[in-house]
Amino acid sequence: EIVLRALVQHADSSSSLDVVMEAIAANVARWSVDPQGGHRAPGNSCMAGAERLRAGVPWRQAGGPNAGGCGSVMRAYPFGLLLRHDVAGAEQWAVEHSRMTHQAPIALAACAAMAVGVAGEVRGDAPGEVLTEMVEAAGRYDAGTARMAEEALADAANGTDPVAVLERLQGWAAHEAIAAAMFVVARHERDLPGALLEGANAAGDSDSIATLAGALLGARLGIEALPAEWLRD
């Protein structure tokens, strides 16, 4: 929400990357001591980065150099929505924003893939093309993440048992999370509820997988793809 609000606030201006990132960083630091609702369970890397931001560490240096959890990729989708007509910019900004909390190459790669994927989905590009572009985006930052995503897509194409795949790709780390989400999306190109349920019932970091898959397919299919009873409740 912090990322989305910052991008919306600066959508009609020529604000530089630094201006937007400073706004995100300030609000992340504030959120870490005053969380909305009080029922969140943020990861250790997110909290460590926020603590450094509060201490005055520049946003580009606040993230742990080896922090490769899925915290930053889970909040990367707004870059693809708001910057969908500038895919290179969406990728760059998503990657740079990760540095506040997660600087490991697998986290940067996952954020790049997520931003590029959401931009393609919301534009209505061909599903297979979007997933291919996600693999390519990941590969610009970490070859291992790209290979993991390619293997997940091959599993989807070959009809591999999703229970087995999501047992392997549990999603606690960023590269596993993006690969698992891409697997789910490839299996449910026009079925947002099916994708959400498959992700949410996965063996590992199920909320993260469902979040990523839901953001990708939601960008393409819209709120009307959700069951009426879900919206009602």
Side-chain angles (χ1 to χ4, degrees):
E1 184 178 342
I2 288 169
V3 173
L4 187 56
R5 286 186 180 278
L7 289 174
V8 169
Q9 179 183 351
H10 295 278
D12 298 323
S13 71
S14 57
S15 297
S16 67
L17 180 147
D18 274 302
V19 169
V20 177
M21 295 301 152
E22 290 287 358
I24 294 172
N27 281 297
V28 166
R30 188 176 304 116
W31 157 87
S32 66
V33 294
D34 185 23
Q36 179 188 18
H39 58 277
R40 305 301 185 191
N44 292 333
S45 294
C46 289
M47 295 305 287
E51 183 176 353
R52 295 189 192 103
L53 291 171
R54 291 200 312 274
V57 176
W59 64 265
R60 277 192 176 91
Q61 302 168 22
N66 298 314
C70 62
S72 60
V73 66
M74 287 177 69
R75 59 177 192 256
Y77 78 86
F79 295 101
L81 289 179
L82 274 294
L83 301 176
R84 62 187 177 276
H85 300 303
D86 177 14
V87 181
E91 176 183 322
Q92 179 195 7
W93 285 37
V95 168
E96 290 301 305
H97 114 284
S98 181
R99 299 185 192 280
M100 297 180 196
T101 54
H102 297 73
Q103 300 220 37
I106 59 174
L108 306 184
C111 285
M114 190 65 187
V116 168
V118 170
E121 294 281 18
V122 78
R123 288 197 314 266
D125 296 349
E129 179 182 328
V130 170
L131 294 169
T132 297
E133 290 174 350
M134 291 178 69
V135 171
E136 293 171 352
R140 289 191 277 274
Y141 303 89
D142 182 65
T145 300
R147 285 195 300 271
M148 186 174 285
E150 283 184 320
E151 291 170 2
L153 295 178
D155 283 332
N158 295 332
T160 305
D161 180 6
V163 173
V165 174
L166 295 174
E167 180 68 35
R168 184 181 84 238
L169 300 174
Q170 295 212 355
W172 303 107
H175 57 342
E176 289 187 4
I178 195 67
M182 291 170 69
F183 170 77
V184 171
V185 167
R187 283 174 38 80
H188 301 275
E189 289 180 358
R190 305 296 304 178
D191 182 9
L192 180 55
L196 288 168
L197 289 170
E198 185 161 276
N201 288 281
D205 193 0
S206 53
D207 66 310
S208 301
I209 296 169
T211 290
L212 299 179
L216 286 161
L217 281 181
R220 174 181 296 276
L221 302 176
I223 197 169
E224 59 271 17
L226 292 174
E229 62 269 23
W230 289 16
L231 300 178
R232 182 197 65 217
D233 295 341

